[in-house]
Amino acid sequence: MFEDHHIVLWLLGLPLLSAVVVWCLGPTRGPAIRAVSFASSVVVLLLTAMLIVRFLAISGERSPVTEDTVHQESKIHTFKPEFVPGASAEDRHKTTWNILSFGRGQIQFYLGVDGLNIWLIVLTALLMLPSVLVSFRQITERVNEFYAWLLALQTCMIGVFLAFDIVLFYVFFEVSLIPLFFLIGIWGGSRRQYAARKFFIYTLAGSLITLLGVIGVVIACSPDASSKLTFSIPELVHEVHKNLENEDTRGYWSAVQLWTFLALSLGFAIKVPLIPFHTWLPLAHVEAPTAGSVDLAGVLLKIGSYGFLRLCIPLAPDFTLVNGLPIITWLAAIGVVYGALCAFAQDDVKRLIAYSSVSHLGLCMLGLFSLNAIGIQGGIMQMINHGLSTAALFLLIGMLYERYHTRQLKDYSGMASKMPLFAICLVFASLSSVGLPGLNGFIGEFLCLAGIYQYEVIDRQQRILPILTVLGASGLILGAWYLFTMLRKLLFGELREPSHEGEPITDLTVREWGLLTPIFILCVVIGFYPRPILHTTEPDVERIGLIVKQARKRAGLSIDPPPLVTGRADVR
Amino acid sequence: MSDAVYSILWLIPVLPLLAATLIAFLGPRLLKQHSHWPCILAIATSCVLSVMVYWHVQGAEGDAPASVASYYPWIQAGSGPYAVNIGINLRADALSSMMLVMITFIGTFIAIYSIGYMHGDPGYPRFFAAVSLFVFAMTLLVLGDNFLVLFVGWEGVGLCSYLLIGFWFSKPSAAAAARKAFLVTRIGDVGLMLGMLLLWMMYGTFNFWDVNDAEGNLLYSGIFNQVERQLQLGTLNQALILAAALLLFCGAAGKSAQFPLHVWLPDAMEGPTPVSALIHAATMVTAGVYLLARCTPLFLAAPDAQLIVACIGGFTALMAALTALTQNDLKRVLAYSTLSQLGYMFLALGCAIKFASDTNLVTFAVTAAMFHLFTHAFFKALLFLCAGSVMHAMGHVIDMRRFSGLRKVMPITHATFLCGALALAGFPLLSGFWSKDEILDACYQASQEGPYASVYFTLLVIAIFTAGLTAFYTFRAYFKTFWGEVKVPEEAFHHGHGHDDHGQGHSASHGGHHEPKTSHESPAVMTIPLLVLAVFAVGVGFVLGPLTHGFAHFLHKTPGWPHMTEEHHMNIPLMLMGTAVVFFGLGLSWLMYVKQPELPVRLAASAQGVYQLSLNKFFFDELYQGTIVTPAEQVAKLSAAVDSGGVDAVVDAVGLAPSKLGELFRPIQNGLVQFYALAMVLGLTVFLLSLIYKL
């Protein structure tokens, strides 16, 4: 009765619908607005749960590696989205729904789910719930508009992840800026307008360049007036690979890739953010309301890393492999250390956590750009884990700010004796963030490091000093350094509260710890049982692996570089 | 593989974990002052199960008395030669079952002791939750059959150490010490992680040993099997093995507080004393020793790494012993003594080298290290608990200058402390005597041949000298605390036995029978564990040591330890020499602290430089502060300044560019028609001229 692709459509439609309803309720009917928003996010979360169950059921058959290994080598690989609404009868991975048809092509309403995006969609849905709940008391003005923008933001974020049409992707990518622009600009802190403007213009500038890349790829894929224009990402990837494998067109395409890579990566690099394009982030975080920070850190930053994975690597594989990889990995590795150092020097807790995002996403990018299965899986894990732990940290800081109206570390001391439950939650979130084994953070960090280490030692034959790995690993020490210093200053020592007026300060309320509990449970579950995630992402990571493998062959790099130690036993 | 062991193995770590969860959720509201029950029951049950595992291994025949239980695949990623394939696999062999019994046995008694010690503390449930969690992590650490499971336990014990050092978190020094402990050990942990990754790159697995299924087919291949195979074939890559061994040693040095990562352990004494006994003396800090013993096949193949291990161990032993000579805080004396004894263990591990094809020394030296670990756990836990008992009675004063003559006040504590002190000093026939003698012997054997014989000989001399120092500082502490005239600090009479300095308050625990102006022995719940541990501290070496070879024979069942072709014989001259040094140290401390108490003061005055060096712990803290911590903080500040003043300023400048560009051209748009007309005419002229002259 409720088919798979209906879930996909409802995921996209329901938040938007709720946004409209909430808006129409008017600013005075607070309880009704909150109820609708809450109900909507719960339903969306349930829908994603259904999505996972159904996706897990089919993910066993999704592996691109078939028995036919001879055929495998020459096969052209591309993405295979599942649960596509409007799927055509002959191919369930393609859609028939056109938004706009013109001359040589059509822009399609092409949505789908695969291993690369499913967990990011889940993350979006999961973080919506605490975002809504935490704002119950924090937001008192223009309530309807706030929740409407928040819900609209959810639609945009889910849309970006779901989209398999490059124009649709781009539209969601751009439109997601608008709700956040208003969330920061209206309900933000004292410098909210500057922050909102900077965030908007900076990321817009990046994504306009991305647009150039998008147009470039589409046009390059149809070289003459007679050929069809396609906007479907799987088809574009397929097209690019066909041309690259073809001796005649390879020369032209190698040149095209340079521009594709530059244009796409600049926009995504700003979004991730890679240094030195990160300075909008601390500012936006500090000024954003808690819900905005949660969505910004938890989900929006992942659009950047997801973009690299979905578009940049598959559409410009040769250039990524040969030229892009050294640049991006170095930026990421430096970002790990630099972000951590900047985080340590901050006195504003939100700024501190914002810089920690720069550091953590540096490690994520290191994993993704190691371009091997382990690294990419680690990168995806790191995206999810960073979303969970950073969201928890922002939520907690938001709760503290709600009570004392300051986020300066120097104003606080020994808060653990005043708010023990808060202290436990903050310590837990910090432990998740520093990658304590047994919690979620470790899985991602470990796999990212393993991936980049494999890249350096095997692919680059860098045996003496694998510097990228060392820089990445130093992030683990530095991460513990700034977070545990923050904990010591904020929670431990003699109690010193900032001055506050009004009602007496209480520990976390039921609503507050209740909204954190799902995140924490997930932290433990992923820490001890990451298999569902690793299992579902594997087939699509393999696809990217095969794309990269072919690129390696074209670049004249050996596909099976010599191992570190010869004569090792076969591993099963 | 026995089904019985297979099915109980997981319970050993899981029971304490359940207890921890139970106490964490129910403790503050429901269990309150009964929070110790789940903890003690869980650890005691684990202890019984551990003994069962021990008997199983003891009774097992043949070469592979190990049970491996794989519960579920944990992390699986990638494919091909570089797949990551890690299961939650637990292994019960001789080494791990010995560790298990020791951890859970000592853990049980320390938990019982804590009922008295922590009585009335508002954080009572939190304490027992953390202790249970610690036992979970520690048992997981020694049970893990691959590096990742070991690493979970490894970081888990670090977390519990952090939580328990900072138990009285309102005290700034405790909060600082907790952070320091976590960060310093984390530096080592990253080394361990890189070592694991290197081994994975080399051998494609994280498992220690091959795992076969029921039919004998290979399920997983292990690192150590491959190392052994390569060693036989001579295809071993020496440089890589050395690198891997040293990286693993980094981790061990961090956790076991070896130079240069030793600075956190003395500060860790800020935690409650049972924690110091359990975590920072008996169990967690020996994790590094366990790791190296576990990786014997690897270190066997890297003699250069062994030399470094031995040198670091010997240096730490000496340096810590010298520091312990002058400390005034009883717990710090014991902490430095722990450092020193851990140094001994690493020294022994470093002696595990093979000469040509003679591998007897390897097994002998590693067994010596493990035996010292075993005996040390008992007597050092005992000493710490005695120190805790003293603290409990002295109102949390631990400065030895402020109390003395306690042997009359606290007879049981005194007697048990004496047992522990004699054992630590290596008094003949007590446990420490046997284990220390084995270490000296291992050192002696290592100095007999090989390219590094002279280095090992120097280490032997250092070890013997340190044995004398150990006897001296141990009895210095003993005499200062329990001998001389009775002196009790003011705080002991304020009711509520301390905790006050932590701002924690202490409910009137002995309210009924409190008499002013007397201080008294600790309650039975504290003294009984002392007595039990004292019996073990005295007798364990006698029963299991070289006289019976009980310990050695059991431990030699550990897979990967080379077979000993001949029984070890006691080295009587070395033993006599060691004993002489111990008696000398003991006599000297008697002379200085009982016979002529003014002597130490004069000695300190006459050798001010050396005295200050020792008193200030060789200024390591100051050195690190100056060379690492402060520069790192400066770099962080600089980065933040560059970020807002440099990187962001560029962004703002770029943002301003369009409007600046606009301003540049603004004067042209001045609204004067004459100006436009002029510009038009001029422009046209230039255009026409360029056409005419074809410019």
Side-chain angles (χ1 to χ4, degrees), chain B residues 423-501:
Chain B
L424 168 60
F427 194 82
L429 305 185
L430 269 66
S431 60
F433 168 77
W434 301 109
S435 54
K436 196 173 289 178
D437 178 65
E438 286 201 350
I439 292 178
L440 295 182
D441 198 5
C443 225
Y444 171 75
Q445 288 185 36
S447 68
Q448 290 305 299
E449 44 184 311
Y452 303 123
S454 55
V455 181
Y456 281 106
F457 189 75
T458 316
L459 289 171
L460 174 66
V461 174
I462 289 176
I464 294 176
F465 178 63
T466 308
L469 291 179
T470 309
F472 178 81
Y473 70 67
T474 313
F475 276 84
R476 170 180 171 268
Y478 167 73
F479 289 130
K480 284 188 90 157
T481 307
F482 293 100
W483 287 65
E485 57 186 294
V486 177
K487 188 166 83 179
V488 174
E490 263 310 289
E491 287 88 337
F493 307 124
H494 297 173
H495 216 297
H497 298 293
H499 297 295
D500 297 16
D501 49 340

Side-chain angles (χ1 to χ4, degrees), chain B residues 433-434 437 440-441 444 546-547 568-580:
Chain B
F433 168 77
W434 301 109
D437 178 65
L440 295 182
D441 198 5
Y444 171 75
L547 293 179
H568 174 66
H569 298 292
M570 274 180 267
N571 187 340
I572 303 293
L574 196 65
M575 194 177 262
L576 288 178
M577 192 146 88
T579 312

Side-chain angles (χ1 to χ4, degrees), chain B residues 9 31 103 123 126 133 144 166 179 243 251 268 292 323 341 362 371 398 400 410 476 478-479 509 527 540 542 578 664:
Chain B
L9 216 47
L31 292 166
I103 295 158
R126 184 159 50 92
L133 190 65
R179 186 189 72 128
L292 261 55
T323 311
Q341 300 304 310
V362 174
F371 190 45
I398 195 63
M400 290 188 292
M410 310 179 73
R476 170 180 171 268
Y478 167 73
F479 289 130
S509 52
T527 52
V540 81
F542 198 77
L664 203 66

Side-chain angles (χ1 to χ4, degrees), chain A residues 126 175 178 280 306 353 395 415 419 434 462 509 557 559:
Chain A
L126 188 87
V175 170
I178 298 167
W280 61 271
Y306 173 76
I353 301 167
L395 288 167
M415 293 308 292
M419 299 164 73
V434 299
Q462 183 65 259
T509 61
L557 300 169
I559 301 167

Side-chain angles (χ1 to χ4, degrees), chain B residues 191-237:
Chain B
L192 172 58
M193 182 130 146
L194 292 176
M196 278 162 25
L197 288 176
L198 178 57
L199 286 172
W200 166 64
M201 269 294 108
M202 289 162 70
Y203 299 113
T205 177
F206 291 93
N207 292 307
F208 293 145
W209 295 101
D210 288 352
V211 175
N212 297 320
D213 65 8
E215 281 89 49
N217 300 316
L218 188 69
L219 281 178
Y220 305 104
S221 77
I223 293 169
F224 298 151
N225 293 88
Q226 296 189 49
V227 173
E228 284 182 344
R229 218 170 296 144
Q230 290 186 339
L231 203 57
Q232 277 167 8
L233 295 172
T235 56
L236 200 73
N237 186 327

Side-chain angles (χ1 to χ4, degrees), chain B residues 394 397-404 487-491:
Chain B
M394 296 298 115
V397 172
I398 195 63
D399 190 331
M400 290 188 292
R401 287 168 297 191
R402 300 193 50 205
F403 48 71
S404 60
K487 188 166 83 179
V488 174
E490 263 310 289
E491 287 88 337

Side-chain angles (χ1 to χ4, degrees), chain B residues 6 102 254 584 644:
Chain B
Y6 185 91
M102 186 199 86
F584 182 74
S644 54

Side-chain angles (χ1 to χ4, degrees), chain A residues 21-53:
Chain A
V21 171
V22 163
W23 184 285
C24 295
L25 281 170
T28 51
R29 281 140 87 179
I33 292 165
R34 292 184 184 113
V36 171
S37 317
F38 179 70
S40 157
S41 34
V42 169
V43 173
V44 170
L45 191 59
L46 291 176
L47 285 172
T48 56
M50 254 163 86
L51 193 71
I52 295 170
V53 172

